Amino acid sequence: TLFKKNIGKSVLEVSNTSDNKNGSFFVTLMYKYNDYPVFNNNLHATAGKNGLISVKGTVVSFKKLKDIEYSITPTANILLELLSNGDLKTEFPEAKITSIRLGYYLPLGKTEASIYAIPAYEIEINSKKVYFYDAREKITSDAVLLGSKNITK
């Protein structure tokens, strides 16, 4: 299992499983930190009846570096900012919020050795796209869009 490979169950949770129809399963695992989801990074594993077959994705470990606490912007403030998102208006003229979650955003690319997790809101629109907004209050005068991604199912 993944836990035997020093990827602790306290930082992972299964977000999706699917049967590969060949005796194996494809499992998507989402990171969590302090019981909040970590957005923008997953592990993808294939497992069979004899155990783990493969794991793909970035292995992330968490370490508290500073004793900094942030006040979190109320959800209503982020939703008001979302109304002025030009990309959203163009892509979804009849936008409906289908999910909102508070968690952490990891702005990972392919070269980072370390990075700070940013408190963030994940806002899902029409079950097709998610937007990530910085949830820290008073970091800047406006809400900060951290990124977005299309939902593939």
Side-chain angles (χ1 to χ4, degrees):
T1 67
L2 290 172
F3 309 126
K4 289 179 184 174
K5 299 196 179 298
N6 292 324
I7 302 172
K9 65 181 177 179
S10 65
V11 298
L12 286 172
E13 67 181 30
V14 174
S15 66
N16 191 22
T17 60
S18 59
D19 188 345
N20 287 340
K21 308 282 188 216
N22 61 2
S24 67
F25 289 88
F26 184 74
V27 181
T28 302
L29 297 136
M30 178 179 234
Y31 286 99
K32 60 183 181 174
Y33 180 71
N34 289 339
D35 291 324
Y36 286 98
V38 176
F39 310 126
N40 202 38
N41 204 288
N42 293 322
L43 279 180
H44 304 281
T46 303
K49 58 184 168 187
N50 294 327
L52 198 58
I53 297 170
S54 69
V55 178
K56 294 180 182 175
T58 305
V59 175
V60 178
S61 64
F62 299 95
K63 181 179 180 183
K64 189 173 182 177
L65 297 177
K66 301 177 184 177
D67 272 336
I68 296 176
E69 292 195 17
Y70 296 102
S71 296
I72 300 300
T73 299
T75 309
N77 293 12
I78 297 295
L79 294 177
L80 289 172
E81 179 65 27
L82 189 67
L83 292 173
S84 66
N85 181 320
D87 174 53
L88 176 78
K89 289 178 184 177
T90 302
E91 196 168 345
F92 301 102
E94 303 235 352
K96 292 183 183 175
I97 296 171
T98 47
S99 173
I100 298 175
R101 295 191 303 168
L102 181 62
Y104 293 97
Y105 181 82
L106 283 179
L108 291 176
K110 298 196 183 285
T111 59
E112 289 86 354
S114 65
I115 195 89
Y116 291 101
I118 300 168
Y121 284 104
E122 176 194 67
I123 303 172
E124 181 181 284
I125 304 296
N126 293 12
S127 298
K128 294 184 178 181
K129 190 165 188 172
V130 291
Y131 293 90
F132 302 101
Y133 278 91
D134 193 326
R136 297 173 293 175
E137 192 170 60
K138 298 178 184 172
I139 294 300
T140 66
S141 59
D142 297 323
V144 176
L145 177 64
L146 299 170
S148 65
K149 70 176 184 177
N150 292 320
I151 297 172
T152 55
K153 293 188 181 190

